[in-house]
Amino acid sequence: MRLERSIPAEALDAIRAPFLSAGAAPVDAPVLQPLGLLLDLAGEAMRSRLFVVSGDGGDEACLRPDFTVAVARQHLASGVGAGRYLYEGKAFRVAPRGSDRAEEFLQIGVEAFEAADPVAADAEIAALAWAGAAAGGRDDLTLLLGDVGLFAAFVDSLDLTPPLGARLKRTFSRPRQLKAELEGEAAPVVSSERSRIAALLAGLPEADAAAVLQELWSLAGIEPVGGRRPAEIAHRLVEKAEVVKAGRLSEAQADKVRAFLAVSDAPDAALDAIAALAGPNRGPLDAAIEGWRKRLAGMVARGVPAERIQLNAAFGRAFGYYDGYLFEVRSAALGEERPVAAGGRYDGLPARLGAETKTGAVGCMVRPARAYAGGGE
């Protein structure tokens, strides 16, 4: 396993300092995490980046690829309603094929589970990540922003049928499926047997659909082939049934979605461009844009240089459990594939982990070896 280069202690102290002032309780997290849970949350595409650990008779596990899910699980296990946590430790990911990038690397971060003003919390967390990244000495940093929720509000403005709108929102994190929607490709052919199963599952939440599918397998005494999990198969069956039932975008609607995804500019200009694309039901989108203007003002007030911020409407499609705003701090010298810091909002994750009380969830992390101006990981 390749390790990242160490950085001087004084540089690490400087990068760590903003996080120490965030009012968070120090926490550690188990290195081993349940593989199935992470794949259900982040998507099957994450499997190739994980170090998988198998034991006799037990469920598969993996080395933690980051801290967000692990810290969220600990927060829920504690039984407290709100909490803010500071972590510092190693994470582990398989390097992309053909790359010599680090596979074991240090992360410092904060995860906050709080029901207070989400816009103010978003601004605080992004500014915290910026401060930690900038403390490493690089002078070529930019803050790239995106928002899964902004796309959802834009889709709502188009006044689509509910099944079509819901399906379009889900494709935001799946570029190939989104491309198929925009190109109006023919609905997939579903066999009669699969169609009946899909119809049975289509009206259920995906977690319930996966549980029903697992029960059907158990009753039939069969196991899925190819390592695919019930949640993935249920999702695919339901998705195919909904494609047939919900119809397609018109060419004018598809053009509007393409225009939305093409927006990438300084934040005020980007928000103006998105507002100009709104459909007839523009109320939720206008509210989301107003929230963004407040969020950006909060970031600048906390020290993020306005001229270093960019809003990209298509950014974020590769992230599995983020469901609101998200960001990366990037260095021109390192390129877009190696962000210095990252984070965002994931309000839906606690519920997917079994939380019964709704609370906000937002966090960020910095990679010190990348933040350090003398490093290059």
Side-chain angles (χ1 to χ4, degrees):
M1 182 178 292
R2 184 173 178 269
L3 307 181
E4 62 188 3
R5 289 191 292 268
S6 60
I7 66 176
E10 59 271 20
L12 183 58
D13 287 343
I15 294 166
R16 183 188 294 123
F19 292 88
L20 293 176
S21 65
V27 67
D28 196 6
V31 171
L32 287 180
Q33 293 293 316
L35 175 64
L37 175 63
L38 286 178
L39 293 179
D40 285 345
L41 295 173
E44 192 69 25
M46 188 67 176
R47 181 186 291 270
S48 64
R49 302 296 309 279
L50 301 175
F51 287 99
V52 177
V53 180
S54 299
D56 292 338
D59 292 335
E60 284 188 310
C62 64
L63 303 185
R64 63 188 180 208
D66 62 22
F67 281 78
T68 300
V69 174
V71 173
R73 294 177 67 215
Q74 287 190 315
H75 167 69
L76 296 179
S78 73
V80 300
R84 178 175 287 207
Y85 306 97
L86 167 68
Y87 62 82
E88 179 174 339
K90 294 292 184 69
F92 310 85
R93 292 186 194 173
V94 176
R97 185 173 298 176
S99 170
D100 63 351
R101 283 159 48 185
E103 296 172 326
E104 177 182 338
F105 50 89
L106 181 66
Q107 285 188 343
I108 300 173
V110 165
E111 307 293 340
F113 303 92
E114 301 164 344
D117 182 356
V119 170
D122 290 349
E124 178 192 2
I125 290 296
L128 176 62
W130 177 269
R138 292 190 182 274
D139 60 2
D140 63 347
L141 299 179
T142 57
L143 178 63
L144 180 67
L145 300 167
D147 188 358
V148 179
L150 191 60
F151 180 72
F154 169 73
V155 170
D156 287 340
S157 82
L158 300 180
D159 205 21
L160 306 175
T161 64
L164 180 55
R167 192 179 77 227
L168 185 60
K169 291 175 190 178
R170 287 197 298 273
T171 66
F172 185 71
S173 61
R174 303 176 179 90
R176 282 188 291 184
Q177 293 180 22
L178 180 56
K179 181 174 182 289
E181 289 284 351
L182 297 179
E183 293 180 352
E185 294 179 359
V189 177
V190 184
S191 70
S192 59
E193 181 179 350
R194 284 189 172 186
S195 180
R196 287 193 294 271
I197 296 174
L200 173 66
L201 302 178
L204 301 175
E206 286 196 14
D208 292 343
V212 169
L213 191 59
Q214 180 67 65
E215 186 173 350
L216 287 173
W217 286 342
S218 297
L219 291 172
I222 60 175
E223 291 293 334
V225 297
R228 294 171 63 194
R229 299 182 57 78
E232 181 191 5
I233 296 174
H235 173 80
R236 293 286 295 276
L237 287 172
V238 170
E239 196 170 62
K240 288 179 179 180
E242 289 180 346
V243 166
V244 175
K245 181 174 64 176
R248 292 288 183 180
L249 295 171
S250 70
E251 189 56 37
Q253 292 166 338
D255 284 344
K256 280 204 167 189
V257 176
R258 291 188 191 98
F260 174 92
L261 296 171
V263 171
S264 182
D265 207 334
D268 284 337
L271 292 173
D272 289 344
I274 290 170
L277 294 170
N281 183 27
R282 63 177 303 137
L285 182 60
D286 287 340
I289 289 173
E290 179 60 26
W292 258 108
R293 297 196 190 279
K294 293 178 180 178
R295 187 179 287 113
L296 290 161
M299 293 177 192
V300 173
R302 290 171 171 82
V304 182
E307 68 277 9
R308 298 291 188 93
I309 305 176
Q310 184 173 32
L311 180 62
N312 184 327
F315 174 62
R317 287 185 289 170
F319 294 85
Y321 46 74
Y322 288 111
D323 51 21
Y325 100 121
L326 68 167
F327 63 85
E328 286 182 355
V329 179
R330 293 179 175 178
S331 159
L334 297 180
E336 65 180 43
E337 295 299 320
R338 293 186 287 173
V340 174
R345 179 162 290 278
Y346 49 95
D347 288 347
L349 179 60
R352 294 173 70 183
L353 292 173
E356 297 180 357
T357 302
K358 186 175 181 179
T359 182
V362 63
C364 68
M365 70 85 196
V366 65
R367 294 269 297 261
R370 291 179 178 173
Y372 175 49
E377 292 297 337

